[in-house]
Amino acid sequence: MAAVLEGLEPEEAAAAAEDTIRRAAEAVDAGPRAPPLLPGHQLNLDLYPRGCHRLLHLCAQQPQQLLQVEFLRLSTHEDPRLLEATLAQVPWSLLHLRSLVLKGGQIRGPLGACLRGTLTTLPTGLSGLAHLAHLDLSFNRLETLPTCIPQLHSLDALLLSHNCLSELPEALGALPALTFLTVTHNCLQRLPTALGTLSTLQRLDLSENLLDTVPPEIGGLSSLCELNLASNRLQSLPASLDTPEVPEMPRLFLTSDLDSFPVTPHGCSVTLACGVRLQFPAGATTTPVTIHYRLWLPEPGLISLGPHDFLLSGVLELKPHGVAFQQDVSLWLLFVPPRTRRCREVVVRTWSNSIWSDLETHLEEEAPKRLWARCQVPHFSWFLVVLRPVSNACLVPPEGTLLCSSGHPGVKVIFPHGATEEPRHVSMQVVRMPGRELQALLGEPEAAVSPLLCLSQSGPPSFLRPVTVQLPLPPGVTGFSLDRSRLHLLYRAPPEATWDDITAQVALELTHLYARFQVTHFSWYWLWYTTKTCVGGLARKAWERLRLHRVNLIALQRRRDPEQVLLQCLPRNKVDATLRRLLERYRGPEPSDTVEMFEGEKFFAAFECGIDVDADRPDCVDGRICFVFYSHLKNVKEVYVTTALDRETQAVRGQVSFYRGSVPVEVPQEAEAARQRKGADALWMATLPIKLPRLQRSEGRGQGAGLSLVPLNLGDADTGFLTQSNLLSIAGRLGPDWPAVALHLGMPYRELQRIRHEFRDDLDGQIRHMLFSWAERQAGNPGAVGLLVQALEQSDRQDVAEEVHAILELGRHKYQDSIRRTGLAPEDPALPGTSSSQISEPAQA
């Protein structure tokens, strides 16, 4: 019947159901030889209205085929009393029932969310369903587990997602056949110890709850192969998961709030919410070990990028550092794929033996815009995903060898016999430059260049015998027709990073398509064909042009809260699409003129003319917001601004200006900075207006006016605290979204109605009363801050959630600085690429 009704309109489905009921009733008189009228013994009554009435009608008719039903689906969007009466008939009429689905969610609200059904409990008589193996009660209003469920001893799968359960009873341990249990999206604060007695349980999903601990008895789940604890308040996992009672560590699903997890010699699979997967094979460790992880924001001093590399991810740190595994661990990193990978490849880069190195990487596609970079790691350190030019490498033995480029046919390096005494590793990268850009740069239509060749090696800087390099001639040039006076071989000499013309110092051997020359040490090589002189200076500009990105800067204000400003740096080709998406919620001036920026370049936004940043945050220095530009990552920040000027009488017209480099002691004056308006060396890049409208508040409605609130510190020492001042700042930014935040915080709807009535003419009062009354009830709750952040994210106020994260991070920095000043704690260990005293910039090839 499921196949018959699926895809029909409601009227057609209702008619089909009526026909089924009619035929079932007629089957009573047809005798025992009547054919089965319910395909697969399924009865789906949730696909059309009045399902309870139709089931009661069938039970009253008592057709013989009703006794054959094994699968029943019934919508719970019914009158509660009618639903209770209908379910009371099920044990008497459906004696062989094996699957019972009583789900809500078929009806959607005004905003598209699935609405819960009216089911709040089950009749005790359902315990008589001796054959029931599958029970689905998702999207309902259960606050306690019905007492009949622990008596269903044949139950194999129990689904309780999207209910209102705050706890599970100890009697749940009386289900000897249960293999699958999901209680996701509830309000669970604790778990029963009897959960550990479910020895047959294989999959347990407890995600999206309020759990701050997991009982150690969970280690008794000897058959468990998958455990999902994502989006809870956990800070650690019980050590019992490391015990021999668990023959194989289950596959774990965790969130970034949980910064550690255990691994046993049995191995395990772990999925983290920050876009990371880890697969530990059996025997990877000889003893149980706790793995710690952290996702760092990319900073130039923390990462290493070559001149033509693009960063595709944040920096993942895995601890303990340097501990070697007995078997390689598989690591997956999620990244957004670049627009094009022509002649480029994605690799995972790691910090190992005090240097950055690239791991052999394989790509796995999960969705059109979601790719995983998979690699094998022998030990833990820092990891990031990089897009680089295709690299070819080989080990050069004393007998010599040949190295060819896989992406650029014709590029070869020939190592003769005796070029090295000991085997050494060499690598090759090739970068193309579009001919039109070069011709525009030089103003010469006939100018052309070969691919740019980078050669590097390990070991001594020079080879014992000259090595032959072959490069294709520039496009449009052949060895028989070229003018040799226009052909230049350029060499990039580190560390000055200048390009030298070495044509007169080498013997160029020309064929019809290629040029060959010999070198004894490696660097960058480039063939140019041009009439220009001083080619080295032009090569430097062309090399910079290869690495520059054309971007635009935007500054938009939220329509319903102008004090919230979105700052973003966008590649030029993404500006229009991004603005179309944002302008429903934001408004502001046109984007800035196009400017050029390097990958990993620092810049900052300075608020001027009476406007300043409202909140203290780690990336803010004296009202200047620091950025680092990465072309494939989101260069966006949302900040709140304020002013010391009087907004009661007039609007405030200020501005935000963008400047290159790190934050200086004094922001340069616009008139002085505007002398250099464009190019990679320009200091000032753009200025965009910011307007704060005139305040229109009734008397006594100012923030904090007339407040008499008890001092409080919301949170704990591990996650950080939010003070009364912080909560007032958050309250001032919620606006009309406060009811959604309140509901996600678990506040009953009737309390929302009471607050609305009590403060019916005071929106600020409604918000403050809601937030502070909730905060006072959370006194002593260590997961309160995490719950607030989660509620903000679920209410589509990611901007305020990020502000809370910034406040907590700043608090942690200040606390760590204070204990260092008092000598109570040692300095942090050096980060990759750092010394004990300072962080060094990554070396540029």
Side-chain angles (χ1 to χ4, degrees):
M1 184 170 180
V4 175
L5 296 181
E6 185 175 0
L8 297 180
E9 295 296 328
E11 295 79 3
E12 298 172 338
E18 291 285 1
D19 183 63
T20 299
I21 295 171
R22 179 183 55 77
R23 288 185 291 143
E26 293 173 353
V28 176
D29 302 326
R33 295 180 178 273
L37 300 177
L38 302 172
H41 306 296
Q42 301 181 27
L43 186 57
N44 290 355
L45 299 176
D46 61 336
L47 301 178
Y48 48 87
R50 299 173 58 82
C52 287
H53 285 94
R54 305 182 195 286
L55 183 57
L56 285 174
H57 181 70
L58 275 176
C59 294
Q61 294 289 334
Q62 288 293 320
Q64 182 179 353
Q65 277 71 18
L66 197 60
L67 299 177
Q68 301 175 7
V69 173
E70 297 181 359
F71 306 92
L72 172 63
R73 297 178 65 95
L74 190 64
S75 173
T76 56
H77 292 288
E78 300 273 4
D79 179 85
R81 290 174 295 180
L82 176 62
L83 184 60
E84 182 180 0
T86 305
L87 293 178
Q89 295 296 320
V90 170
W92 305 101
S93 303
L94 306 174
L95 302 179
H96 298 89
L97 197 64
R98 295 178 54 203
S99 174
L100 177 59
V101 178
L102 303 173
K103 288 181 62 175
Q106 291 90 357
I107 300 177
R108 295 185 178 272
L111 300 179
C114 295
L115 301 181
R116 294 179 178 178
T118 60
L119 187 68
T120 58
T121 187
L122 292 177
T124 57
L126 287 183
S127 60
L129 296 173
H131 304 286
L132 193 66
H134 174 264
L135 178 60
D136 188 350
L137 304 176
S138 304
F139 284 97
N140 282 296
R141 303 180 186 275
L142 300 175
E143 296 184 359
T144 59
L145 194 71
T147 56
C148 63
I149 292 181
Q151 302 176 44
L152 299 171
H153 299 300
S154 298
L155 203 59
D156 176 81
L158 177 59
L159 292 81
L160 301 169
S161 300
H162 294 275
N163 277 279
C164 308
L165 298 169
S166 59
E167 60 181 359
L168 296 174
E170 294 288 340
L172 190 66
L175 296 174
L178 196 66
T179 63
F180 178 82
L181 174 61
T182 174
V183 203
T184 181
H185 288 90
N186 276 269
C187 305
L188 293 180
Q189 300 181 17
R190 63 187 64 86
L191 296 174
T193 58
L195 191 66
T197 63
L198 299 174
S199 58
T200 59
L201 192 63
Q202 299 177 13
R203 296 176 61 192
L204 177 59
D205 190 348
L206 300 170
S207 60
E208 301 289 345
N209 279 285
L210 307 177
L211 298 171
D212 50 18
T213 60
V214 175
E217 286 78 8
I218 201 171
L221 299 175
S222 56
S223 301
L224 193 64
C225 59
E226 185 174 298
L227 174 60
N228 193 339
L229 296 171
S231 297
N232 278 280
R233 302 174 179 177
L234 299 170
Q235 295 298 319
S236 62
L237 292 177
S240 58
L241 286 173
D242 302 341
T243 61
E245 298 177 14
V246 184
E248 183 177 350
M249 185 73 174
R251 185 181 181 188
L252 292 173
F253 293 85
L254 305 174
T255 65
S256 54
D257 293 334
L258 181 66
D259 62 358
S260 65
F261 56 89
V263 175
T264 70
H266 303 299
C268 69
S269 174
V270 179
T271 300
L272 308 178
C274 55
V276 178
R277 293 178 185 168
L278 291 159
Q279 177 72 50
F280 296 85
T285 64
T286 56
T287 58
V289 60
T290 298
I291 305 299
H292 296 266
Y293 65 91
R294 179 176 178 182
L295 196 63
W296 294 77
L297 292 175
E299 288 289 340
L302 186 61
I303 64 176
S304 174
L305 291 178
H308 301 281
D309 293 344
F310 301 141
L311 184 65
L312 300 181
S313 74
V315 183
L316 173 69
E317 182 185 11
L318 293 172
K319 294 181 179 181
H321 293 170
V323 176
F325 294 105
Q326 303 301 313
Q327 299 185 46
D328 285 352
V329 175
S330 297
L331 170 66
W332 287 262
L333 292 172
L334 184 66
F335 66 96
V336 178
R339 296 182 300 276
T340 178
R341 296 203 301 270
R342 183 174 180 267
C343 300
R344 293 184 175 273
E345 60 187 351
V346 175
V347 295
V348 175
R349 187 162 293 172
T350 184
W351 177 258
S352 178
N353 297 324
S354 300
I355 60 172
W356 286 98
S357 58
D358 294 341
L359 302 174
E360 182 179 350
T361 306
H362 305 276
L363 301 185
E364 298 179 1
E365 186 171 0
E366 183 178 84
K369 293 187 177 181
R370 289 172 64 90
L371 282 176
W372 292 91
R374 176 176 60 86
C375 61
Q376 303 291 117
V377 296
H379 55 80
F380 280 170
S381 181
W382 285 266
F383 302 90
L384 56 142
V385 183
V386 172
L387 181 68
R388 71 177 187 188
V390 171
S391 179
N392 299 100
C394 71
L395 182 67
V396 179
E399 296 80 13
T401 189
L402 172 66
L403 177 62
C404 300
S405 170
S406 59
H408 299 264
V411 179
K412 299 179 181 179
V413 181
I414 304 169
F415 299 90
H417 179 83
T420 177
E421 292 181 345
E422 299 292 334
R424 69 174 72 179
H425 290 275
V426 298
S427 63
M428 164 200 300
Q429 286 184 325
V430 183
V431 181
R432 290 186 183 271
M433 180 168 188
R436 285 180 296 181
E437 289 199 16
L438 176 69
Q439 293 164 5
L441 178 66
L442 301 181
E444 182 182 355
E446 297 181 358
V449 296
S450 73
L452 174 61
L453 174 63
C454 174
L455 297 173
S456 58
Q457 62 165 329
S458 63
S462 300
F463 289 93
L464 300 179
R465 296 185 60 189
V467 174
T468 301
V469 179
Q470 175 179 291
L471 280 175
L473 290 171
V477 179
T478 65
F480 302 127
S481 61
L482 64 80
D483 181 354
R484 291 189 69 111
S485 64
R486 297 171 59 183
L487 187 65
H488 303 270
L489 177 61
L490 303 178
Y491 162 79
R492 183 172 180 266
E496 292 82 5
T498 59
W499 287 90
D500 297 335
D501 189 344
I502 60 172
T503 311
Q505 303 172 27
V506 299
L508 274 176
E509 176 188 346
L510 301 180
T511 67
H512 182 61
L513 299 176
Y514 304 106
R516 296 190 181 99
F517 54 93
Q518 292 186 331
V519 297
T520 56
H521 56 278
F522 281 174
S523 184
W524 296 76
Y525 298 94
W526 211 354
L527 273 176
W528 278 54
Y529 191 73
T530 177
T531 59
K532 302 287 185 180
T533 57
C534 301
V535 183
L538 295 173
R540 182 184 63 82
K541 293 182 180 180
W543 189 61
E544 285 185 352
R545 178 65 62 87
L546 273 175
R547 300 157 53 220
L548 281 171
H549 299 272
R550 293 172 173 83
V551 300
N552 297 93
L553 302 155
I554 63 174
L556 304 176
Q557 294 172 267
R558 187 178 280 264
R559 291 182 181 273
R560 62 188 181 191
D561 186 2
E563 294 179 355
Q564 180 185 351
V565 181
L566 181 143
L567 305 172
Q568 190 167 8
C569 178
L570 285 165
R572 187 174 58 180
N573 63 319
K574 291 185 177 181
V575 172
D576 292 339
T578 301
L579 287 180
R580 283 195 299 268
R581 177 173 51 86
L582 291 176
L583 288 181
E584 294 182 2
R585 295 175 294 157
Y586 297 87
R587 60 186 172 191
E590 292 293 322
S592 72
D593 293 338
T594 301
V595 295
E596 296 177 334
M597 301 189 72
F598 291 106
E599 184 84 1
E601 182 178 352
K602 280 191 173 183
F603 67 101
F604 63 97
F607 289 93
E608 302 163 342
C609 299
I611 294 181
D612 199 358
V613 177
D614 184 29
D616 197 6
R617 41 191 291 162
D619 59 351
C620 177
V621 180
D622 295 333
R624 309 156 201 172
I625 305 297
C626 303
F627 288 81
V628 182
F629 172 74
Y630 293 104
S631 57
H632 291 75
L633 300 183
K634 288 186 177 180
N635 307 282
V636 58
K637 295 184 181 182
E638 286 192 86
V639 300
Y640 285 86
V641 296
T642 186
T643 179
L645 302 178
D646 184 10
R647 291 176 60 193
E648 297 287 346
T649 58
Q650 61 181 358
V652 177
R653 300 179 184 273
Q655 62 188 31
V656 56
S657 295
F658 296 88
Y659 301 92
R660 298 184 187 278
S662 57
V663 177
V665 177
E666 294 184 359
V667 175
Q669 295 295 324
E670 180 186 348
E672 177 183 350
R675 294 174 186 170
Q676 304 180 66
R677 288 189 174 269
K678 293 184 179 180
D681 298 328
L683 179 62
W684 172 84
M685 293 188 293
T687 294
L688 297 171
I690 298 292
K691 178 183 176 182
L692 294 181
R694 177 181 174 182
L695 287 178
Q696 295 181 353
R697 295 173 178 256
S698 59
E699 186 176 353
R701 288 277 304 276
Q703 186 182 41
L707 280 177
S708 178
L709 301 169
V710 296
L712 56 86
N713 278 326
L714 187 68
D716 59 89
D718 294 329
T719 61
F721 292 98
L722 294 178
T723 64
Q724 183 188 86
S725 176
N726 299 142
L727 289 179
L728 279 173
S729 177
I730 294 170
R733 294 166 185 172
L734 293 183
D737 293 328
W738 76 267
V741 177
L743 290 174
H744 284 116
L745 286 173
M747 186 171 290
Y749 186 74
R750 59 183 178 272
E751 186 173 350
L752 261 68
Q753 293 293 79
R754 181 185 61 80
I755 294 174
R756 279 174 169 159
H757 177 75
E758 185 174 348
F759 298 88
R760 51 189 174 274
D761 296 323
D762 185 0
L763 177 62
D764 292 343
Q766 294 174 4
I767 301 171
R768 292 196 302 269
H769 186 84
M770 178 278 294
L771 192 58
F772 276 86
S773 60
W774 172 81
E776 290 171 5
R777 289 195 298 268
Q778 297 296 318
N781 182 0
V785 173
L787 181 59
L788 177 59
V789 171
Q790 182 180 359
L792 291 168
E793 292 172 344
Q794 293 173 342
S795 305
D796 196 25
R797 292 308 303 265
Q798 183 69 32
D799 55 304
V800 185
E802 291 176 355
E803 283 289 326
V804 174
H805 281 302
I807 292 171
L808 298 175
E809 187 67 21
L810 182 65
R812 280 193 286 267
H813 287 172
K814 290 182 176 179
Y815 175 73
Q816 293 169 359
D817 291 343
S818 66
I819 62 176
R820 289 195 193 104
R821 285 195 299 269
T822 56
L824 298 178
E827 294 289 333
D828 286 340
L831 296 174
T834 67
S835 65
S836 59
S837 59
Q838 62 181 4
I839 297 177
S840 62
E841 292 294 326
Q844 300 290 332

